[in-house]
């Protein structure tokens, strides 16, 4: 991906570095939960450094052009004091909030109590709007003690508390055997997991659709990174970094709309207009405005991923939630070691303080 460029000064030397419009914070670690102080210090400083996990090279990222941030978190409560800073800087955001109910299953021992996370979800929805707080129950895990029906019960328990605070529920099916480090973590922790098959996936999809309808939630249901087409259950494939949602939330930002290639249009006078005259991909906005979907998939992502391009600034092996199924930590030991390094140098260029 080719990003816009900006100049920064490092040790008296001018460097031209990528300056993306949209930041992902982050697929690789939980920045809101553990690194919010660091992240907002780096925004104030104007740049940060990302260590490439494949070749170890330092990559500098400028925040000069940043207009929107997609946050990912299981505990975004530490983010709350900083939301006003984003507003002051004219930077929009939405949050992918993973709110699971695995308290009694030993799968997420490092996250706050469920009641606290639910309260954080509600607070964020009040501040940002329910369209900007996306509920993820992710991943869905089968074990000796967790069946499809158990998962539906868990989703219902959480959804009863927060369905009015969001528009969408995103989920995925844990694919444990395909990820060596995830399988090792689950095995080492003695978690008696089971792999999903097509029959079980469709069983859950059907029951989830019925639950969503019968409880009157009417949430948009979507899967993340799944190859299986669940369209017959009215479940779509999610775009976690979604150009259309970004445009819905930040349509007044002319610079960002220009970067996204989105044109905001006025609806004709109601006396001469029929809603059926709008283009098929029209997205409605307040004030009798709309835009036509211009979402472009990031070609660098896997085929089942619908995300648009954004610069992810997180690093693997840095999340001390230590969830048993984590794909981002190769081991708990490495994550704790890097977390301790960060705490020793919390305002360094990199998350790890190196």
């Amino acid at each position: 991906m080719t990003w816009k460029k900006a100049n920064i000064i490092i040790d008296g030397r001018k460097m031209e570095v990528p300056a993306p419009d949209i930041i992902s914070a982050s697929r690789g670690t939980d920045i809101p939960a553990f690194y919010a102080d660091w992240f907002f210090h780096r925004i104030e400083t104007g740049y940060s450094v990302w260590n490439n996990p494949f070749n170890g090279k330092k990559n500098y990222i400028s925040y000069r052009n940043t207009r929107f941030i997609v946050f990912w978190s299981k505990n975004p409560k530490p983010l709350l004091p900083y939301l006003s800073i984003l507003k002051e800087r004219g930077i929009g955001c939405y949050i992918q909030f993973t709110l699971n109910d695995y308290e009694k299953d030993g799968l997420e021992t490092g996250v706050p109590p469920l009641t606290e996370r639910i309260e954080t979800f509600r607070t964020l929805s009040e501040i940002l709007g329910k369209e900007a707080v996306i509920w993820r129950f992710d991943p869905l895990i089968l074990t000796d003690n967790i069946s499809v029906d158990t998962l539906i019960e868990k989703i219902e328990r959480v959804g009863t508390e927060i369905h009015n605070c969001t528009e969408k529920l995103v989920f995925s099916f844990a694919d444990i055997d395909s990820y060596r480090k995830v399988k090792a973590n689950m095995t080492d922790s003695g978690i008696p997991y089971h792999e999903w098959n097509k029959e079980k996936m469709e069983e859950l999809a059907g029951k989830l659709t019925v639950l969503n309808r019968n409880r009157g939630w009417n949430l948009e249901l979507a899967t993340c990174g799944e190859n299986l087409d669940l369209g017959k259950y009215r479940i779509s494939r999610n775009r976690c970094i979604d150009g259309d949602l970004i445009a819905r939330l930040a349509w007044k930002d002319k610079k960002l709309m220009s970067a996204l290639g989105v044109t905001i249009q006025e609806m004709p006078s109601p006396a001469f207009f029929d809603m059926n005259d709008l283009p098929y991909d029209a997205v409605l906005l307040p004030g009798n405005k709309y835009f036509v979907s211009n979402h472009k998939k990031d070609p660098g992502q896997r085929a089942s991923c619908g995300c648009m391009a954004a610069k992810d600034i997180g690093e693997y092996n840095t999340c001390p939630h230590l969830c048993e199924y984590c794909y981002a930590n190769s081991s708990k030991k490495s994550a704790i070691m890097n977390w301790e390094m960060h705490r020793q140098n919390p305002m360094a260029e990199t998350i790890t303080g190196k």
Side-chain angles (χ1 to χ4, degrees):
M1 173 58 60
T2 301
W3 306 106
K4 296 176 183 176
K5 300 287 186 178
N7 292 322
I8 61 174
I9 306 298
I10 304 294
D11 297 328
R13 181 167 56 96
K14 185 167 72 173
M15 298 175 59
E16 188 179 56
V17 303
D21 300 284
I22 299 171
I23 296 292
S24 168
S26 155
R27 289 184 177 97
T29 192
D30 197 326
I31 286 177
F34 299 107
Y35 303 101
D37 292 348
W38 170 84
F39 179 56
F40 281 87
H41 172 72
R42 298 318 308 176
I43 287 180
E44 182 67 28
T45 303
Y47 76 95
S48 65
V49 176
W50 175 74
N51 290 312
N52 190 308
F54 302 105
N55 57 26
K57 289 184 177 181
K58 282 188 173 183
N59 291 265
Y60 289 82
I61 302 113
S62 167
Y63 297 109
R64 180 171 300 175
N65 296 324
T66 299
R67 309 297 301 172
F68 204 93
I69 302 169
V70 177
F71 291 106
W72 314 63
S73 185
K74 290 183 179 174
N75 175 32
K77 187 174 182 178
L79 193 64
L80 291 172
Y82 292 104
L83 295 177
S84 60
I85 295 176
L86 292 181
K87 188 174 182 179
E88 291 168 6
R89 288 178 169 268
I91 298 174
C93 75
Y94 66 79
I95 300 176
Q96 300 273 350
F97 193 146
T98 299
L99 183 53
N100 300 332
D101 179 12
Y102 291 130
E103 278 191 320
K104 298 179 181 179
D105 306 294
L107 295 172
E108 296 178 340
T109 57
V111 300
L114 180 59
T115 53
E116 181 180 327
R117 287 177 283 140
I118 287 173
E119 187 58 34
T120 298
F121 197 104
R122 290 172 174 160
T123 301
L124 284 166
S125 181
E126 289 173 4
I127 295 171
L128 298 175
K130 67 179 185 178
E131 66 275 15
V133 188
I134 298 164
W135 176 26
R136 300 178 72 95
F137 200 112
D138 179 36
L140 296 169
I141 297 175
L142 296 174
T143 72
D144 285 355
N145 301 313
I146 304 176
S147 65
V148 167
D149 286 336
T150 308
L151 288 169
I152 293 295
E153 290 169 6
K154 291 176 180 291
I155 293 170
E156 182 174 17
R157 190 156 47 241
V158 177
T160 298
E161 301 293 331
I162 66 165
H163 68 276
N164 287 326
C165 303
T166 187
E167 292 183 344
K168 180 185 282 190
L169 167 58
V170 178
F171 63 94
S172 70
F173 302 102
D175 188 10
I176 296 169
D177 283 346
S178 296
Y179 295 89
R180 181 171 52 86
K181 57 188 175 184
V182 178
K183 182 178 180 179
N185 286 340
M186 295 284 277
T187 302
D188 291 346
S189 297
I191 305 295
Y193 71 88
H194 302 287
E195 286 291 290
W196 287 90
N197 56 34
K198 184 175 181 291
E199 180 182 6
K200 289 290 185 183
M201 291 179 189
E202 296 214 356
E203 179 187 355
L204 184 132
K207 290 182 175 181
L208 179 57
T209 300
V210 170
L211 170 66
N212 187 41
R213 181 184 66 240
N214 288 351
R215 292 301 302 268
W217 295 353
N218 298 318
L219 298 175
E220 179 183 351
L221 304 178
T223 57
C224 176
E226 295 292 341
N227 292 318
L228 181 63
D229 184 357
L230 296 174
K232 64 182 177 182
Y233 302 103
R234 298 186 179 180
I235 298 174
S236 62
R237 289 191 170 101
N238 196 48
R239 305 185 304 208
C240 300
I241 301 177
D242 186 344
D244 288 350
L245 178 56
I246 291 171
R248 276 183 61 200
L249 295 172
W251 61 272
K252 294 181 180 180
D253 186 333
K254 293 181 180 179
K255 289 183 178 179
L256 182 57
M257 294 305 99
S258 176
L260 292 175
V262 169
T263 301
I264 305 301
Q265 303 184 55
E266 295 273 355
M267 290 188 184
S269 169
F272 306 99
F273 176 65
D274 187 317
M275 288 293 289
N276 293 324
D277 293 334
L278 284 178
Y280 174 75
D281 288 338
V283 180
L284 300 181
L285 296 170
N288 291 321
K289 293 180 173 59
Y290 73 96
F291 67 90
V292 176
S293 174
N294 194 37
H295 178 86
K296 296 181 177 65
K297 177 184 172 353
D298 181 358
Q301 296 291 343
R302 53 186 170 167
S304 57
C305 176
C307 289
M308 67 169 292
K311 183 66 185 82
D312 198 290
I313 61 164
E315 294 191 32
Y316 292 139
N317 295 313
T318 61
C319 185
H321 277 318
L322 306 180
C323 299
E324 299 297 341
Y325 53 80
C326 181
Y327 70 88
N329 291 336
S330 58
S331 71
K332 295 179 181 180
K333 181 179 178 180
S334 61
I336 293 172
M337 180 184 69
N338 284 326
W339 168 239
E340 291 300 328
M341 289 177 63
H342 164 79
R343 294 176 69 184
Q344 293 171 23
N345 193 9
M347 299 304 165
E349 294 179 325
T350 67
I351 282 179
T352 56
K354 295 178 182 176

